[in-house]
Amino acid sequence: MEKILDVKNLQVSFQTFFGEVEAVRDISFSLEEGKTLAIVGESGCGKSVTANSIMQLLPKPPVVYKGGEIIYKGEDLLKKSEKEMTEIRGNMISMVFQDPMTSLNPTMKVGAQIIEGVRRHRNISNEEGRKYAIEMLERVSVPQPEKRVNQYPHEFSGGMRQRVMIALAMASKPSLLIADEPTTALDVTVQAQILKLMKTLQKEFGASIILITHDLGVVADMADDVIVMYAGQIVEKGTVDDIFKNPSHPYTQKLLAAVPKLTMDRNETLHAIDGTPPDLYKPPQGCAFFDRCDQAMVICENHMPGFFDSGSGHYNRCWKNHPSYTRNGGAE
């Protein structure tokens, strides 16, 4: 399959009164057509900054793109003007945000918001627009779409608002959909419905999806490939089977150990990750996970590990996976 997106050595910083925050530090990944890529990690690891960088939604200043490329269908989005990005956003690349109540306009009917998004890229009449808005609401399983199209966001439940957001994002049939924690505020039943809906629409429209989440259950259900981020870096990437069956980085292992399991005894406690992420005003010279890692070695503190291939494209950034590493004596 062809790559629809290829991010190469992306570096994103925030210039603040206190100094430079290196939010995304030299990350690279790609996404194939029709596939779903999940980006996981703790809050503040750079997931949303990466997603917003693709869409060019971060204000400049304070954001500075210090290096890298974001290649979408052969063109570098970082070199696009704001006018060019306006043509791309919502048309070729769309985004579903975490909180639909703050993303939808509370003063506009939901049908009008869907129509407005389509009209930016297509010349359609009011009647055509209304029919299309009803069709999109029906596709995302909003009941009574003919009635709902004339209602305001506050008249919808949280799950229904998220369905409206998906309808809005998919209205122009984009080839790439970015979903930034789309199920965080929803209960488990509604979350399952939203995920099923996204997979159905993906097949129908042939879209590729980038799923930003901290919920590993969602990842297992949705993703083909996974990248794990920590302190602005990718520490592990591979297929969903690689990550869940054979996690190679200590951070990934701890994330999976912190997930509740149905087989757990009621007296059994969850494994928390001790400590806090490093300060990205002054990122560490070595492995960013050093202070929280119970497998750390002397080399980890001052020397940044490269990407090591665990086999079949399963990469991780950990010295214990270096080819010269021996379990008895560490790195040779």
Side-chain angles (χ1 to χ4, degrees):
M1 289 187 179
E2 292 186 10
K3 292 180 182 178
I4 191 171
L5 184 74
D6 198 8
V7 176
K8 301 177 181 178
N9 307 110
L10 181 64
Q11 301 171 57
V12 185
S13 292
F14 289 82
Q15 300 292 346
T16 73
F17 290 110
F18 303 101
E20 179 183 332
V21 180
E22 298 181 31
V24 173
R25 302 190 291 148
D26 194 21
I27 69 169
S28 299
F29 64 89
S30 60
L31 174 62
E32 293 181 346
E33 291 183 350
K35 296 288 188 178
T36 298
L37 171 70
I39 303 179
V40 303
E42 291 173 288
S43 296
C45 70
K47 305 187 302 293
S48 292
V49 172
T50 301
N52 283 292
S53 296
I54 295 169
M55 294 284 286
Q56 295 289 284
L57 293 174
L58 300 172
K60 296 181 283 190
V63 168
V64 177
Y65 294 99
K66 300 191 70 177
E69 299 174 308
I70 302 174
I71 308 298
Y72 170 73
K73 290 189 173 182
E75 298 184 0
D76 189 355
L77 298 182
L78 292 179
K79 294 180 180 178
K80 297 288 185 182
S81 66
E82 180 58 27
K83 183 178 180 180
E84 289 173 319
M85 284 305 302
T86 300
E87 290 299 313
I88 291 173
R89 294 190 201 107
N91 186 25
M92 293 179 272
I93 306 176
S94 287
M95 193 164 185
V96 177
F97 295 94
Q98 182 173 349
D99 185 0
M101 199 57 192
T102 58
S103 303
L104 293 168
N105 188 333
T107 67
M108 289 179 65
K109 297 175 181 179
V110 297
Q113 296 187 54
I114 295 173
I115 295 168
E116 182 185 50
V118 175
R119 273 184 172 166
R120 288 181 181 177
H121 310 289
R122 286 197 293 176
N123 185 21
I124 59 173
S125 66
N126 289 338
E127 185 59 29
E128 289 173 329
R130 186 178 185 280
K131 286 181 179 179
Y132 190 64
I134 292 172
E135 180 187 334
M136 287 306 302
L137 290 178
E138 189 174 10
R139 280 185 171 180
V140 297
S141 302
V142 171
Q144 299 180 293
E146 296 84 358
K147 176 184 175 182
R148 293 289 204 165
V149 75
N150 293 317
Q151 292 182 330
Y152 293 92
H154 72 269
E155 298 180 81
F156 289 72
S157 66
M160 285 299 160
R161 281 196 292 268
Q162 195 63 287
R163 290 173 186 271
V164 172
M165 278 296 300
I166 294 172
L168 187 62
M170 299 300 293
S172 294
K173 301 180 181 179
S175 57
L176 174 59
L177 177 67
I178 301 173
D180 189 358
E181 305 203 22
T183 61
T184 297
L186 306 177
D187 63 53
V188 176
T189 303
V190 177
Q191 174 179 293
Q193 294 171 355
I194 294 297
L195 295 177
K196 183 178 179 181
L197 171 63
M198 289 179 62
K199 287 194 286 188
T200 300
L201 291 176
Q202 181 182 27
K203 290 180 180 178
E204 184 177 344
F205 291 103
S208 302
I209 296 178
I210 294 179
L211 179 65
I212 312 293
T213 186
H214 60 266
D215 189 332
L216 293 174
V218 172
V219 173
D221 188 44
M222 283 285 294
D224 297 298
D225 300 291
V226 183
I227 63 176
V228 182
M229 290 191 69
Y230 183 77
Q233 294 180 314
I234 295 175
V235 296
E236 186 164 1
K237 59 183 177 181
T239 66
V240 68
D241 286 341
D242 289 335
I243 300 301
F244 279 86
K245 293 180 180 179
N246 187 31
S248 301
H249 196 280
Y251 177 61
T252 310
Q253 293 167 1
K254 287 182 177 292
L255 282 180
L256 290 169
V259 177
K261 297 177 177 63
L262 292 175
T263 56
M264 288 179 64
D265 185 271
R266 65 180 179 179
N267 297 320
E268 191 176 346
T269 58
L270 290 174
H271 298 279
I273 305 177
D274 296 328
T276 57
D279 187 350
L280 293 183
Y281 282 115
K282 293 182 179 179
Q285 290 183 342
C287 175
F289 194 57
F290 171 79
D291 289 338
R292 306 172 73 185
C293 183
D294 52 15
Q295 303 178 47
M297 303 178 290
V298 174
I299 192 174
C300 302
E301 184 173 9
N302 297 310
H303 298 278
M304 180 71 69
F307 261 122
F308 307 122
D309 190 349
S310 299
S312 302
H314 180 190
Y315 293 92
N316 65 84
R317 191 186 292 273
C318 180
W319 281 115
K320 73 182 183 68
N321 293 303
H322 189 280
S324 298
Y325 174 81
T326 58
R327 295 194 176 276
N328 293 329
E332 295 180 335

